[in-house]
mmCIF file of all heavy atoms in Angstrom:
data_model
loop_
_atom_site.group_PDB
_atom_site.id
_atom_site.type_symbol
_atom_site.label_atom_id
_atom_site.label_comp_id
_atom_site.label_asym_id
_atom_site.label_seq_id
_atom_site.Cartn_x
_atom_site.Cartn_y
_atom_site.Cartn_z
ATOM 1 N N LEU A 146 116.934 28.210 138.484
ATOM 2 C CA LEU A 146 115.495 27.919 138.451
ATOM 3 C C LEU A 146 115.132 26.709 139.304
ATOM 4 O O LEU A 146 114.095 26.693 139.981
ATOM 5 C CB LEU A 146 115.033 27.715 137.010
ATOM 6 C CG LEU A 146 114.546 28.945 136.233
ATOM 7 C CD1 LEU A 146 113.251 29.477 136.820
ATOM 8 C CD2 LEU A 146 115.584 30.033 136.157
ATOM 9 N N ARG A 147 115.983 25.713 139.306
ATOM 10 C CA ARG A 147 115.703 24.516 140.100
ATOM 11 C C ARG A 147 115.886 24.763 141.594
ATOM 12 O O ARG A 147 115.126 24.259 142.417
ATOM 13 C CB ARG A 147 116.577 23.348 139.607
ATOM 14 C CG ARG A 147 116.037 22.774 138.309
ATOM 15 C CD ARG A 147 117.079 22.022 137.503
ATOM 16 N NE ARG A 147 116.477 21.443 136.295
ATOM 17 C CZ ARG A 147 116.188 22.128 135.195
ATOM 18 N NH1 ARG A 147 116.456 23.421 135.134
ATOM 19 N NH2 ARG A 147 115.638 21.525 134.157
ATOM 20 N N TYR A 148 116.878 25.557 141.937
ATOM 21 C CA TYR A 148 117.083 25.900 143.347
ATOM 22 C C TYR A 148 115.934 26.768 143.853
ATOM 23 O O TYR A 148 115.457 26.581 144.978
ATOM 24 C CB TYR A 148 118.415 26.626 143.508
ATOM 25 C CG TYR A 148 118.852 26.816 144.935
ATOM 26 C CD1 TYR A 148 118.963 25.740 145.808
ATOM 27 C CD2 TYR A 148 119.169 28.084 145.414
ATOM 28 C CE1 TYR A 148 119.376 25.916 147.118
ATOM 29 C CE2 TYR A 148 119.582 28.270 146.724
ATOM 30 C CZ TYR A 148 119.682 27.184 147.570
ATOM 31 O OH TYR A 148 120.096 27.356 148.871
ATOM 32 N N ARG A 149 115.478 27.698 143.016
ATOM 33 C CA ARG A 149 114.329 28.513 143.412
ATOM 34 C C ARG A 149 113.122 27.641 143.706
ATOM 35 O O ARG A 149 112.409 27.868 144.696
ATOM 36 C CB ARG A 149 113.990 29.537 142.332
ATOM 37 C CG ARG A 149 112.736 30.343 142.690
ATOM 38 C CD ARG A 149 112.393 31.404 141.681
ATOM 39 N NE ARG A 149 111.926 30.866 140.425
ATOM 40 C CZ ARG A 149 111.374 31.623 139.460
ATOM 41 N NH1 ARG A 149 111.260 32.930 139.635
ATOM 42 N NH2 ARG A 149 110.976 31.084 138.337
ATOM 43 N N LYS A 150 112.870 26.670 142.862
ATOM 44 C CA LYS A 150 111.704 25.807 143.046
ATOM 45 C C LYS A 150 111.758 25.066 144.379
ATOM 46 O O LYS A 150 110.737 24.834 145.026
ATOM 47 C CB LYS A 150 111.602 24.806 141.896
ATOM 48 C CG LYS A 150 110.310 23.989 141.884
ATOM 49 C CD LYS A 150 110.221 23.149 140.636
ATOM 50 C CE LYS A 150 108.910 22.352 140.615
ATOM 51 N NZ LYS A 150 107.730 23.233 140.526
ATOM 52 N N ARG A 151 112.990 24.750 144.820
ATOM 53 C CA ARG A 151 113.146 23.993 146.067
ATOM 54 C C ARG A 151 112.979 24.866 147.314
ATOM 55 O O ARG A 151 112.393 24.410 148.302
ATOM 56 C CB ARG A 151 114.520 23.321 146.118
ATOM 57 C CG ARG A 151 114.723 22.234 145.086
ATOM 58 C CD ARG A 151 115.844 21.297 145.478
ATOM 59 N NE ARG A 151 117.127 21.958 145.653
ATOM 60 C CZ ARG A 151 118.001 22.172 144.680
ATOM 61 N NH1 ARG A 151 117.700 21.802 143.426
ATOM 62 N NH2 ARG A 151 119.160 22.755 144.919
ATOM 63 N N ILE A 152 113.502 26.103 147.280
ATOM 64 C CA ILE A 152 113.562 26.834 148.549
ATOM 65 C C ILE A 152 112.690 28.088 148.632
ATOM 66 O O ILE A 152 112.304 28.490 149.735
ATOM 67 C CB ILE A 152 115.010 27.196 148.911
ATOM 68 C CG1 ILE A 152 115.571 28.227 147.937
ATOM 69 C CG2 ILE A 152 115.881 25.966 148.984
ATOM 70 C CD1 ILE A 152 116.827 28.891 148.460
ATOM 71 N N CYS A 153 112.393 28.730 147.518
ATOM 72 C CA CYS A 153 111.554 29.940 147.580
ATOM 73 C C CYS A 153 110.863 30.144 146.236
ATOM 74 O O CYS A 153 111.200 31.065 145.479
ATOM 75 C CB CYS A 153 112.365 31.167 147.962
ATOM 76 S SG CYS A 153 113.813 31.453 146.934
ATOM 77 N N PRO A 154 109.900 29.300 145.908
ATOM 78 C CA PRO A 154 109.277 29.331 144.575
ATOM 79 C C PRO A 154 108.575 30.639 144.236
ATOM 80 O O PRO A 154 108.316 30.914 143.066
ATOM 81 C CB PRO A 154 108.289 28.162 144.631
ATOM 82 C CG PRO A 154 108.067 27.892 146.078
ATOM 83 C CD PRO A 154 109.342 28.238 146.769
ATOM 84 N N GLY A 155 108.262 31.450 145.232
ATOM 85 C CA GLY A 155 107.562 32.693 144.956
ATOM 86 C C GLY A 155 108.464 33.861 144.589
ATOM 87 O O GLY A 155 107.975 34.913 144.172
ATOM 88 N N ALA A 156 109.777 33.698 144.731
ATOM 89 C CA ALA A 156 110.700 34.805 144.451
ATOM 90 C C ALA A 156 110.827 35.037 142.949
ATOM 91 O O ALA A 156 110.985 34.092 142.176
ATOM 92 C CB ALA A 156 112.066 34.508 145.054
ATOM 93 N N LEU A 157 110.763 36.289 142.542
ATOM 94 C CA LEU A 157 110.911 36.643 141.140
ATOM 95 C C LEU A 157 112.385 36.771 140.774
ATOM 96 O O LEU A 157 113.216 37.140 141.617
ATOM 97 C CB LEU A 157 110.208 37.965 140.855
ATOM 98 C CG LEU A 157 108.703 38.022 141.129
ATOM 99 C CD1 LEU A 157 108.182 39.427 140.875
ATOM 100 C CD2 LEU A 157 107.953 37.012 140.290
ATOM 101 N N ILE A 158 112.699 36.483 139.517
ATOM 102 C CA ILE A 158 114.066 36.617 139.018
ATOM 103 C C ILE A 158 114.120 37.780 138.044
ATOM 104 O O ILE A 158 113.510 37.743 136.973
ATOM 105 C CB ILE A 158 114.537 35.324 138.332
ATOM 106 C CG1 ILE A 158 114.624 34.184 139.355
ATOM 107 C CG2 ILE A 158 115.892 35.534 137.647
ATOM 108 C CD1 ILE A 158 114.923 32.826 138.739
ATOM 109 N N PHE A 159 114.822 38.831 138.444
ATOM 110 C CA PHE A 159 115.062 39.991 137.584
ATOM 111 C C PHE A 159 116.463 39.801 137.003
ATOM 112 O O PHE A 159 117.456 39.798 137.734
ATOM 113 C CB PHE A 159 115.008 41.293 138.377
ATOM 114 C CG PHE A 159 113.660 41.595 139.000
ATOM 115 C CD1 PHE A 159 113.536 42.582 139.963
ATOM 116 C CD2 PHE A 159 112.519 40.909 138.618
ATOM 117 C CE1 PHE A 159 112.309 42.880 140.538
ATOM 118 C CE2 PHE A 159 111.276 41.187 139.182
ATOM 119 C CZ PHE A 159 111.176 42.179 140.150
#
Side-chain angles (χ1 to χ4, degrees):
L146 270 293
R147 284 158 177 78
Y148 190 55
R149 177 178 70 170
K150 188 173 181 65
R151 293 200 301 272
I152 68 164
C153 53
L157 300 177
I158 295 173
F159 297 167

